[in-house]
Amino acid sequence: MSDLIKITYREAIKQAILESMQKDDRVFLMGEDVGNYGGAFAVSKGLLKEFGPDRIMDVPLSESGFTGAGIGAALAGMRPIVEVMTVNFSLLAMDQIFNNAATLLHMSGGQLNVPIVIRMGCGIGRQLAAQHSHSWEPFFAHVPGLIVLSAGTHEDARGMLLSALQSPDPVIIFEYTAMLNLEKEIPSDSGAVEITKAKVHREGKDISLITYGAGVYKCMEAAVSLAAEGIDAEVIDLRVLRPMDEETFLASVRKTHRALVVEEAWKSVSISSEVVSRIMEKAFFDLDAPVERLCGVEVPIPYPKHLEDASVPQVMDIVDKVKKMLRP
Amino acid sequence: MSDLIKITYREAIKQAILESMQKDDRVFLMGEDVGNYGGAFAVSKGLLKEFGPDRIMDVPLSESGFTGAGIGAALAGMRPIVEVMTVNFSLLAMDQIFNNAATLLHMSGGQLNVPIVIRMGCGIGRQLAAQHSHSWEPFFAHVPGLIVLSAGTHEDARGMLLSALQSPDPVIIFEYTAMLNLEKEIPSDSGAVEITKAKVHREGKDISLITYGAGVYKCMEAAVSLAAEGIDAEVIDLRVLRPMDEETFLASVRKTHRALVVEEAWKSVSISSEVVSRIMEKAFFDLDAPVERLCGVEVPIPYPKHLEDASVPQVMDIVDKVKKMLRP
Amino acid sequence: MEKKKKLDAKEGQRLLHQMILIRRFEEKSAEEYTKSKIRGFLHLYVGEEAVAVGVIQALTEEDNVLSTYREHGHALARGVDPKAIMAEMYGKLEGCSKGRGGSMHLFDATKNFFGGNAIVSGHLPIAVGMALAAKKQKKNKVTCCFFGDGAAAEGEFHESMNLSALWQVPVLFVCENNLYAMGTAIRFTHSVQQLEKKGPAYGIESAAVDGMDLLAVMEAAEKAVKMIRETGKPYYLVCNTYRFRAHSMFDAELYREKSEVEEWKKKDPIPKFQDFLLKENLISAGQIAEIETAVEEEIRKAIAFGEDGTWEETGDLTRFVYSETQSI
Amino acid sequence: MEKKKKLDAKEGQRLLHQMILIRRFEEKSAEEYTKSKIRGFLHLYVGEEAVAVGVIQALTEEDNVLSTYREHGHALARGVDPKAIMAEMYGKLEGCSKGRGGSMHLFDATKNFFGGNAIVSGHLPIAVGMALAAKKQKKNKVTCCFFGDGAAAEGEFHESMNLSALWQVPVLFVCENNLYAMGTAIRFTHSVQQLEKKGPAYGIESAAVDGMDLLAVMEAAEKAVKMIRETGKPYYLVCNTYRFRAHSMFDAELYREKSEVEEWKKKDPIPKFQDFLLKENLISAGQIAEIETAVEEEIRKAIAFGEDGTWEETGDLTRFVYSETQSI
Ligand SMILES: Cc1ncc(C[n+]2csc(CCOP(=O)(O)OP(=O)(O)O)c2C)c(N)n1
Ligand SMILES: Cc1ncc(C[n+]2csc(CCOP(=O)(O)OP(=O)(O)O)c2C)c(N)n1
Ligand SMILES: [Mg+2]
Ligand SMILES: [Mg+2]
């Protein structure tokens, strides 16, 4: 086995960009402030110097325009990485992503591939208030034709991009801005990762915690606390929000007979709704109790820390909820 | 009780616009081709002549611009009805709807109301292919701050708009273009309708069919067929997709112990996912069998009739599915 | 002037053939629509033939062409097989998009014909991206993008113009100003109606031309393409034209006077060009009759091909939602 | 010229007071940010004071003002209580948005100050709509909308300019061209960098002015507002200015030379205006010192007010997602 290295989430993404650009000269990065500014979150700092302005392209505020341009470039044989600074601004590019990137292959009878990768910062946790704290994975996960990935760990922050660039189909990658500075250990040779499967991060027998994105480390932390109290939780990171790998979490539920789905997005019509529905449909008779959900409160996220914290599930909320579910 | 009149779905909407404009001179209609063309689907035909161009405003192709302008006008005391011709084009206005209309009240600490009504044609059924056949109710139903209505019947096509214009908060109304020519009988004095509750259209004891939009008449028809075979289905029209009235369908499921959720939207991360989840969470122990779903196939809708038909649940699919569920 | 001298008989006849083919093809399509052989939206190009033919003749086979939902003319002028187009509108597997797209979504990658885009203005950013790719790949490839006067009001027009000029990419924007966006006259959609005046705001070389005059369009297009190839910069060409028929088959044409249409029909590009050829002795009356006969035969074959085509198996509905091969 | 003659001592001192208040307020905010009293994104207006002060003094209390996330200056110039602004940034209930919005979302309906909008360009359509409402309501009300050079590249700029000119509504677009959109210099965002040249493409009366010169801005704004009131038409004013500080507190300023910043600091609008007042004997050194002291006191009070403010109860998190009263 290879050595472990300490790395921030930010650095993990950056290395992936760097490596993919070195490997394939069809790859280029375009987005607002990715070049001269060094990336809104300093992810691409230094890359402009390394690759020059043709491959690290600063673009004007024109989300629809440059995302569409990325689609066009992909159609024409390039491998663009389009950075939509954060998901909050992705609505402006939604038409391009949903009506073009997601439909062209099918609508053209298989003629036109759109091998674009769209990365966006996502989530809550920096007191940025209503218009800048969205968790909109559910929108993207609804749309056939897209592959939707959520990088809930450092390995995935690094590996998903590398794999996505091999995909003939459009891939959306959600990155979690609240985790950028977080340091973790990953294998020094960690590279491309599987992008069709969910992952069991911790095995357990009492309950399945099913989550993604910023929920992953939170659930792992909760599982540790729960273990101390004698509750053995299995933690599953969905990773691929579309097409969803249900086998992994169904197998888990068939083993533990109980599940809690945890996500930061608003509760209604969310990823967790879909997970619960699939368990209902395919593992109903394995359940000892109803599956429950801990999700984002359905409110435009407010600015103050205490209200922001109250808007999404925290580790203690997960712990408490599991205890209530198992020891009512 | 009042007389019944025969009316098309189109005429029902038109009467509502007419009546609301006569009643309140703050109301005006704006949208592409609502005036001189008479409405893309002839809904507003004749209204320009009646009310003049200040109140029936043709707008340029600028979905973000004119929807945002509607939000501004609402903030400033008007009661705009913005027609986004069809939901397919709403992505271009999504930022205005989600980041502005839905957030302003909360984000301003209760200072700013946005009493806008946004109507859009929706759904499949006219062989318009991938970019023109979307059912995107799920996106809107995910977003707090919005009231999201689905007019699955002629009474609602007429009544929802009247009620929506009384709301201090932004209301989205989905209208189903495939139903425009459909004639039904409604009470001649039918007017404003309740817009917080789902509706039981048919009582039954064997299974709950939970649906909305274009699924409503389909489920009613299926229920008639099923009745002929001795299966007594209850049919529930969700009507209000956000905030969702769960009481009505939970009560139904507690009675029938079985449910099938039917919708035309793509299956994953949909309205049906949310309904199933709430039943899981709140009526699990009342269930005799897992709740099932019949939804749109996850594919960009193709042009040919046979493939289009195969893309969404048809009456016979519902009948067959229910029979399989009840007599496995 | 110079142009007129250069045109030889063979080329003149070829172009006339194209225009007549488009005209008859559209007339036949309308007929097939009333017979319900073609369904969905059908937007005809009658009256505007000189634009597609005049512009596309200036391109090479390597160049890219993108168009709107009113694209039969562009596809035909591009050399897409009329049989494959008709089969597409019949919804058959032999169609140029395997029947999935219908009238609004003609694609033929072998001809570098990229649709067939039904979201107004949605293909402009894509065109910019394809041109960007050509620049990066150092290919001598112009990307030509057709769109309407209505499209120029969308934000994507602004973003695309700016991006193309900023990046200096070889794209030819062709605005087909037929004075109406559906039923909305240009005076209701643009504050400045000489649409060529929008170009200088982006520093883009711009021109307007009489789109009813094939020779004028040819000359303008050749000049534009020459400049693009020489400088690598974008060019914006406004072709002032008129559609003789309704916007689509759903249009009652309430928004314009019959007399206006009649006035414009006097400028019909086909007799005009025919007369020119006759006057210059580049064609004989007999040769014109031969063209008409040949076109009739082509269309007869196209219809037969459509009729004889196969329906895609319903079981293949979800093919090409994602790619079938992982390497492209 | 004429302007300079008209300015009396009292008014001159009031305006100087405003500029100094904004400057000191921003400096203090930065300080509070480093103390973690203020969180989220913080965008300072230092260097650009003459724009907000010069434009807003030309408006009446009835007029509407909309701004971006860099809006402290506009709020202060508009007369929003500095205490309420500071409390807002402290996240307290006494803030002008009840603490929900923070720095990027200042609102004060009593001052007709409508944000505080953090999606770049998202408020332009809203401004057009408010102006449209004023026109419909026959109110003598100008709507003034501030935005940046970056914003002008967004599609919504194009749509809003066109709509305002088409509809002839009383809106004043003020582009604060500070040469950067975050870290992207204007040469990377606009193909034509004299942004006032964009106005004629819409037939909108346009002008550019030295935004570092209060008197020049005042004169230009007064002329613009006068024209708007007289004609009811939109006006587009570009104020060329510069931000002395980083884009936000997360900005390492890699994209510009220190020397460039120093060069611009020589044009600091505050000493310039101060010198003018001194030279014209409209103020004495002692009076300037008094203003500084008064401002210091105001800011001290604002901080104390913020400190003493109350945190909203977590239980009230979901207040105002929807209105609490049904009639507005
Ligand atoms: C974004 C979007 N909005 C609305 C429509 C509906 N629609 C289809 S064609 C059309 C008019 C377009 O006019 P123009 O661009 O002038 O092209 P023309 O049809 O005249 O060729 C409209 C409003 C659409 N397809 N896409
Ligand atoms: C639609 C959108 N895209 C991106 C951002 C991120 N962002 C915030 S401010 C900014 C730069 C805006 O520049 P400009 O309009 O010139 O205003 P300035 O900050 O210079 O005052 C960017 C890219 C955003 N808030 N909204
Ligand atoms: Mg047109
Ligand atoms: Mg700027």
Side-chain angles (χ1 to χ4, degrees):
Chain A
M1 247 206 68
S2 64
D3 296 344
L4 293 180
I5 49 162
K6 260 202 161 178
I7 193 169
T8 60
Y9 189 86
R10 172 185 292 109
E11 182 63 21
I13 303 170
K14 183 187 178 159
Q15 288 187 3
I17 300 174
L18 189 84
E19 183 179 331
S20 56
M21 296 201 32
Q22 283 165 340
K23 274 208 311 224
D24 184 347
D25 58 18
R26 296 171 307 173
V27 174
F28 66 100
L29 174 70
M30 68 197 300
E32 289 160 14
D33 296 295
V34 297
N36 289 288
Y37 191 90
F41 304 108
V43 166
S44 47
K45 204 160 140 183
L47 296 184
L48 174 63
K49 217 168 147 192
E50 180 103 8
F51 296 104
D54 284 346
R55 299 192 64 199
I56 302 289
M57 290 180 70
D58 276 328
V59 302
L61 280 139
S62 302
E63 284 78 4
S64 196
F66 69 76
T67 304
I71 294 170
L75 272 175
M78 301 298 291
R79 289 291 179 279
I81 305 174
V82 172
E83 176 176 310
V84 174
M85 193 183 285
T86 71
V87 73
N88 309 287
F89 319 135
S90 70
L91 298 183
L92 293 164
M94 213 77 139
D95 176 60
Q96 286 298 333
I97 303 173
F98 292 0
N99 268 322
N100 291 335
T103 63
L104 278 166
L105 180 69
H106 188 267
M107 194 163 74
S108 67
Q111 289 178 82
L112 303 181
N113 281 98
V114 186
I116 190 176
V117 177
I118 304 175
R119 298 169 40 238
M120 20 189 145
C122 180
I124 179 178
R126 299 164 66 110
Q127 286 189 247
L128 301 182
Q131 293 179 336
H132 273 64
S133 304
H134 293 297
S135 298
W136 280 337
E137 297 94 332
F139 294 153
F140 293 84
H142 180 60
V143 180
L146 302 179
I147 294 171
V148 183
L149 308 178
S150 165
T153 64
H154 289 52
E155 272 190 80
D156 279 348
R158 193 175 192 294
M160 279 177 165
L161 178 63
L162 294 167
S163 308
L165 284 164
Q166 305 303 317
S167 166
D169 298 317
V171 181
I172 314 291
I173 305 182
F174 288 103
E175 298 163 356
Y176 296 84
T177 50
M179 281 159 48
L180 286 164
N181 292 328
L182 188 67
E183 254 187 350
K184 293 271 176 186
E185 292 187 330
I186 62 171
S188 61
D189 63 351
S190 95
V193 294
E194 236 283 329
I195 52 170
T196 62
K197 295 255 167 280
K199 185 166 177 176
V200 181
H201 280 301
R202 182 187 196 284
E203 298 201 12
K205 60 179 194 335
D206 296 331
I207 187 167
S208 305
L209 298 178
I210 304 167
T211 189
Y212 66 93
V216 177
Y217 291 137
K218 285 186 181 179
C219 283
M220 289 299 284
E221 209 180 315
V224 172
S225 295
L226 288 165
E229 306 197 38
I231 295 174
D232 188 16
E234 180 144 312
V235 178
I236 292 171
D237 177 1
L238 291 169
R239 299 181 66 249
V240 188
L241 305 182
R242 172 165 210 103
M244 203 181 266
D245 163 27
E246 60 187 31
E247 282 319 316
T248 301
F249 66 78
L250 290 175
S252 175
V253 170
R254 286 186 188 119
K255 178 177 78 173
T256 64
H257 311 297
R258 286 170 199 269
L260 174 67
V261 193
V262 178
E263 77 176 314
E264 299 208 336
W266 295 316
K267 189 172 196 170
S268 295
V269 193
S270 60
I271 304 293
S272 64
S273 330
E274 183 58 24
V275 171
V276 173
S277 293
R278 296 199 188 191
I279 297 174
M280 166 76 88
E281 291 166 328
K282 296 177 181 163
F284 179 76
F285 296 105
D286 297 294
L287 290 174
D288 284 348
V291 179
E292 301 206 33
R293 293 187 285 169
L294 261 184
C295 300
V297 177
E298 306 204 285
V299 63
I301 308 300
Y303 161 68
K305 177 96 171 68
H306 68 297
L307 297 182
E308 188 186 45
D309 284 347
S311 302
V312 290
Q314 304 299 337
V315 175
M316 273 314 299
D317 301 323
I318 303 168
V319 171
D320 289 347
K321 183 77 178 179
V322 169
K323 288 202 286 191
K324 239 181 254 151
M325 285 174 70
L326 292 185
R327 298 164 183 168
Chain B
M1 250 208 65
S2 63
D3 295 345
L4 293 181
I5 49 161
K6 259 202 162 174
I7 191 169
T8 60
Y9 189 87
R10 172 186 291 108
E11 181 64 21
I13 301 170
K14 182 186 178 159
Q15 288 187 3
I17 299 174
L18 189 86
E19 183 179 331
S20 56
M21 296 205 29
Q22 283 165 340
K23 274 207 315 223
D24 185 345
D25 58 19
R26 296 172 307 175
V27 175
F28 65 101
L29 174 70
M30 70 197 299
E32 289 160 14
D33 296 296
V34 297
N36 289 288
Y37 191 90
F41 303 108
V43 165
S44 47
K45 203 160 142 182
L47 295 184
L48 175 62
K49 214 167 152 195
E50 180 103 8
F51 296 104
D54 284 346
R55 299 192 66 200
I56 302 288
M57 290 180 68
D58 276 328
V59 301
L61 280 140
S62 302
E63 283 77 6
S64 196
F66 69 76
T67 304
I71 294 170
L75 272 175
M78 301 298 290
R79 289 292 181 277
I81 305 174
V82 172
E83 178 177 310
V84 174
M85 193 182 285
T86 71
V87 72
N88 309 289
F89 319 135
S90 71
L91 298 182
L92 293 164
M94 213 76 140
D95 177 61
Q96 287 297 333
I97 303 174
F98 292 179
N99 268 322
N100 291 334
T103 64
L104 278 165
L105 180 69
H106 188 266
M107 194 163 73
S108 68
Q111 289 178 81
L112 303 181
N113 281 97
V114 185
I116 191 176
V117 177
I118 303 176
R119 298 170 38 239
M120 20 189 146
C122 181
I124 180 178
R126 297 163 68 109
Q127 288 189 246
L128 302 182
Q131 294 181 335
H132 274 63
S133 304
H134 293 298
S135 298
W136 281 336
E137 298 94 332
F139 294 153
F140 293 84
H142 180 61
V143 180
L146 302 179
I147 294 170
V148 182
L149 308 178
S150 165
T153 64
H154 289 55
E155 272 190 82
D156 279 349
R158 193 175 192 293
M160 280 178 165
L161 177 63
L162 294 166
S163 307
L165 283 164
Q166 304 303 314
S167 167
D169 298 317
V171 181
I172 314 291
I173 306 182
F174 288 103
E175 297 163 356
Y176 296 83
T177 50
M179 282 160 50
L180 285 163
N181 292 328
L182 187 67
E183 253 188 352
K184 292 273 176 184
E185 290 188 329
I186 64 172
S188 62
D189 64 352
S190 95
V193 293
E194 237 282 328
I195 53 168
T196 62
K197 295 252 167 282
K199 187 166 176 176
V200 180
H201 279 301
R202 181 186 197 285
E203 298 200 13
K205 61 178 191 340
D206 296 331
I207 188 166
S208 305
L209 298 179
I210 305 168
T211 190
Y212 65 93
V216 177
Y217 291 135
K218 285 186 181 177
C219 283
M220 289 298 285
E221 210 180 313
V224 172
S225 295
L226 287 165
E229 307 197 37
I231 295 174
D232 188 17
E234 179 143 314
V235 178
I236 292 172
D237 176 2
L238 291 168
R239 299 180 66 248
V240 188
L241 305 183
R242 175 164 207 102
M244 201 181 267
D245 163 28
E246 59 186 31
E247 282 318 316
T248 301
F249 68 77
L250 290 175
S252 174
V253 170
R254 285 186 189 118
K255 181 177 77 173
T256 63
H257 311 297
R258 288 172 197 268
L260 174 68
V261 193
V262 178
E263 77 178 314
E264 299 208 337
W266 294 316
K267 188 172 195 171
S268 294
V269 193
S270 60
I271 304 294
S272 64
S273 331
E274 184 58 25
V275 170
V276 173
S277 293
R278 296 198 188 192
I279 296 173
M280 166 76 88
E281 292 166 329
K282 296 177 181 162
F284 179 76
F285 296 105
D286 296 295
L287 290 175
D288 285 347
V291 179
E292 301 205 35
R293 296 186 283 169
L294 260 184
C295 300
V297 177
E298 306 203 285
V299 64
I301 307 300
Y303 161 69
K305 177 96 170 68
H306 68 295
L307 296 182
E308 187 186 46
D309 283 348
S311 301
V312 291
Q314 304 300 338
V315 174
M316 271 317 296
D317 300 323
I318 303 169
V319 170
D320 289 346
K321 182 80 178 174
V322 169
K323 288 201 286 191
K324 238 182 256 155
M325 286 174 70
L326 292 185
R327 298 164 183 169
Chain C
M1 282 293 111
E2 210 201 326
K3 177 71 213 160
K4 295 187 189 176
K5 290 215 192 74
K6 270 200 322 212
L7 194 69
D8 67 21
K10 204 175 136 201
E11 179 64 2
Q13 291 170 22
R14 191 183 72 84
L15 297 172
L16 181 64
H17 185 129
Q18 281 200 346
M19 290 214 287
I20 293 177
L21 174 63
I22 296 174
R23 177 70 55 94
R24 300 289 167 258
F25 189 92
E26 294 297 61
E27 288 165 352
K28 191 67 184 175
S29 298
E31 218 180 293
E32 296 301 297
Y33 196 91
T34 56
K35 286 196 247 161
S36 293
K37 291 289 184 179
I38 299 175
R39 295 282 78 196
F41 284 152
L42 181 72
H43 307 86
L44 302 180
Y45 199 60
V46 176
E48 308 186 33
E49 294 89 347
V51 180
V53 171
V55 171
I56 291 175
Q57 62 83 34
L59 304 173
T60 71
E61 284 186 3
E62 300 311 307
D63 296 332
N64 299 317
V65 177
L66 291 88
S67 183
T68 66
Y69 44 86
R70 191 184 302 288
E71 88 284 31
H72 310 166
H74 310 93
L76 288 168
R78 188 56 183 170
V80 180
D81 186 341
K83 296 200 295 298
I85 301 176
M86 193 57 83
E88 186 58 36
M89 297 203 286
Y90 268 68
K92 301 292 179 71
L93 210 40
E94 291 77 8
C96 59
S97 307
K98 293 216 170 55
R100 297 273 188 70
S103 162
M104 300 202 290
H105 300 296
L106 307 177
F107 293 97
D108 188 344
T110 66
K111 300 282 178 190
N112 289 316
F113 186 73
F114 296 94
N117 296 283
I119 304 295
V120 171
S121 215
H123 59 310
L124 273 70
I126 296 185
V128 174
M130 298 191 84
L132 176 67
K135 181 176 181 174
K136 287 186 186 298
Q137 295 160 344
K138 304 202 181 352
K139 287 188 183 160
N140 179 8
K141 213 176 175 44
V142 169
T143 296
C144 172
C145 178
F146 294 92
F147 57 90
D149 47 293
E154 292 277 10
E156 284 176 315
F157 169 82
H158 176 66
E159 297 184 3
S160 301
M161 294 286 276
N162 187 42
L163 291 179
S164 71
L166 257 179
W167 296 342
Q168 307 245 321
V169 295
V171 61
L172 172 58
F173 293 111
V174 182
C175 179
E176 305 182 312
N177 177 10
N178 61 10
L179 301 178
Y180 291 90
M182 265 182 84
T184 304
I186 190 166
R187 69 178 180 283
F188 299 121
T189 61
H190 286 283
S191 55
V192 168
Q193 289 147 42
Q194 298 95 314
L195 296 180
E196 63 280 11
K197 291 199 178 161
K198 311 257 165 207
Y202 309 96
I204 295 184
E205 188 81 29
S206 306
V209 67
D210 177 358
M212 309 306 276
D213 180 347
L214 178 66
L215 294 169
V217 174
M218 288 168 67
E219 191 180 334
E222 281 163 20
K223 186 179 154 205
V225 171
K226 184 158 176 280
M227 195 222 82
I228 297 172
R229 282 203 215 283
E230 279 168 13
T231 64
K233 293 187 193 178
Y235 193 103
Y236 173 44
L237 179 63
V238 176
C239 298
N240 291 307
T241 180
Y242 199 79
R243 70 171 150 71
F244 293 171
R245 305 189 61 127
H247 167 73
S248 75
M249 302 302 282
F250 286 110
D251 173 5
E253 290 188 79
L254 305 171
Y255 49 85
R256 62 181 185 183
E257 298 294 329
K258 284 233 164 55
S259 59
E260 180 185 297
V261 182
E262 291 314 312
E263 220 31 64
W264 274 92
K265 281 190 178 167
K266 293 183 192 154
K267 304 184 197 166
D268 191 327
I270 296 181
K272 185 188 203 120
F273 184 60
Q274 216 165 266
D275 290 351
F276 164 81
L277 292 178
L278 284 168
K279 216 178 69 202
E280 302 280 321
N281 282 322
L282 295 170
I283 206 165
S284 67
Q287 285 171 315
I288 293 176
E290 275 168 35
I291 290 178
E292 289 279 7
T293 313
V295 161
E296 211 169 288
E297 180 58 14
E298 281 177 272
I299 288 173
R300 200 195 53 69
K301 279 191 186 150
I303 296 286
F305 186 77
E307 279 288 352
D308 292 348
T310 32
W311 297 112
E312 186 167 17
E313 305 255 339
T314 303
D316 284 348
L317 174 60
T318 57
R319 276 193 72 183
F320 302 124
V321 175
Y322 296 99
S323 296
E324 300 190 343
T325 136
Q326 283 312 297
S327 58
I328 54 158
Chain D
M1 288 288 112
E2 210 201 329
K3 177 73 214 164
K4 297 187 188 176
K5 290 215 193 72
K6 270 200 324 215
L7 193 70
D8 69 20
K10 206 175 135 200
E11 179 65 0
Q13 291 172 23
R14 190 182 72 83
L15 297 173
L16 181 65
H17 184 129
Q18 279 199 347
M19 290 213 288
I20 293 177
L21 174 63
I22 296 173
R23 177 70 54 94
R24 301 288 167 259
F25 189 92
E26 294 297 61
E27 289 165 351
K28 191 67 183 173
S29 297
E31 217 180 294
E32 297 301 298
Y33 196 91
T34 57
K35 286 196 250 163
S36 295
K37 291 290 184 179
I38 299 175
R39 294 281 81 193
F41 284 151
L42 181 70
H43 306 87
L44 303 179
Y45 199 61
V46 175
E48 309 187 32
E49 295 88 349
V51 180
V53 171
V55 171
I56 291 175
Q57 63 82 36
L59 304 173
T60 72
E61 285 186 5
E62 300 311 308
D63 295 333
N64 299 318
V65 177
L66 290 88
S67 183
T68 66
Y69 45 85
R70 191 184 302 289
E71 87 285 31
H72 310 164
H74 310 94
L76 289 167
R78 188 57 183 171
V80 180
D81 188 340
K83 296 202 295 299
I85 300 175
M86 194 57 83
E88 184 60 34
M89 297 203 285
Y90 268 68
K92 300 293 180 71
L93 211 39
E94 291 77 8
C96 59
S97 307
K98 294 214 168 60
R100 299 265 187 80
S103 161
M104 299 203 290
H105 300 296
L106 307 176
F107 293 97
D108 187 344
T110 66
K111 300 282 178 189
N112 290 316
F113 186 75
F114 296 95
N117 296 283
I119 303 296
V120 171
S121 215
H123 58 310
L124 273 71
I126 296 185
V128 174
M130 299 192 83
L132 176 67
K135 180 175 181 175
K136 288 186 186 296
Q137 295 159 345
K138 302 198 183 357
K139 286 186 183 161
N140 179 7
K141 212 177 179 37
V142 170
T143 296
C144 172
C145 179
F146 294 92
F147 57 91
D149 47 293
E154 291 277 10
E156 284 176 315
F157 169 82
H158 175 67
E159 297 185 3
S160 301
M161 293 286 277
N162 186 42
L163 291 179
S164 73
L166 257 180
W167 296 342
Q168 307 245 322
V169 294
V171 61
L172 173 58
F173 294 110
V174 182
C175 179
E176 306 184 310
N177 177 9
N178 61 10
L179 300 179
Y180 291 90
M182 268 182 82
T184 304
I186 189 166
R187 70 178 178 284
F188 299 121
T189 60
H190 286 283
S191 54
V192 168
Q193 289 147 42
Q194 300 95 312
L195 297 180
E196 63 279 10
K197 292 200 178 161
K198 311 255 164 207
Y202 310 96
I204 295 182
E205 188 82 28
S206 306
V209 66
D210 177 359
M212 307 307 275
D213 179 348
L214 179 65
L215 293 169
V217 175
M218 289 168 68
E219 192 181 333
E222 282 163 20
K223 186 181 153 204
V225 171
K226 185 160 177 276
M227 194 222 81
I228 297 171
R229 282 202 216 283
E230 280 169 13
T231 63
K233 292 187 192 177
Y235 193 102
Y236 173 44
L237 179 63
V238 176
C239 299
N240 292 307
T241 180
Y242 198 80
R243 72 172 148 70
F244 292 171
R245 305 189 60 127
H247 167 74
S248 75
M249 303 301 282
F250 286 110
D251 173 6
E253 290 187 78
L254 305 171
Y255 49 83
R256 62 182 185 183
E257 299 294 330
K258 284 235 163 56
S259 59
E260 179 184 298
V261 183
E262 290 315 312
E263 222 29 65
W264 274 92
K265 280 189 177 166
K266 293 182 191 155
K267 304 183 196 167
D268 192 326
I270 296 181
K272 183 185 205 128
F273 184 58
Q274 218 166 263
D275 289 351
F276 165 80
L277 292 179
L278 284 167
K279 216 178 70 202
E280 301 280 322
N281 282 323
L282 295 170
I283 206 166
S284 67
Q287 284 171 315
I288 293 175
E290 274 169 35
I291 290 177
E292 289 280 7
T293 313
V295 162
E296 212 169 287
E297 180 59 14
E298 281 176 272
I299 288 172
R300 201 195 53 70
K301 278 190 187 150
I303 297 286
F305 186 78
E307 280 287 354
D308 292 349
T310 31
W311 297 112
E312 185 167 19
E313 305 253 341
T314 303
D316 284 349
L317 174 60
T318 57
R319 275 193 72 183
F320 302 125
V321 176
Y322 296 99
S323 296
E324 299 190 344
T325 134
Q326 282 314 297
S327 57
I328 54 158

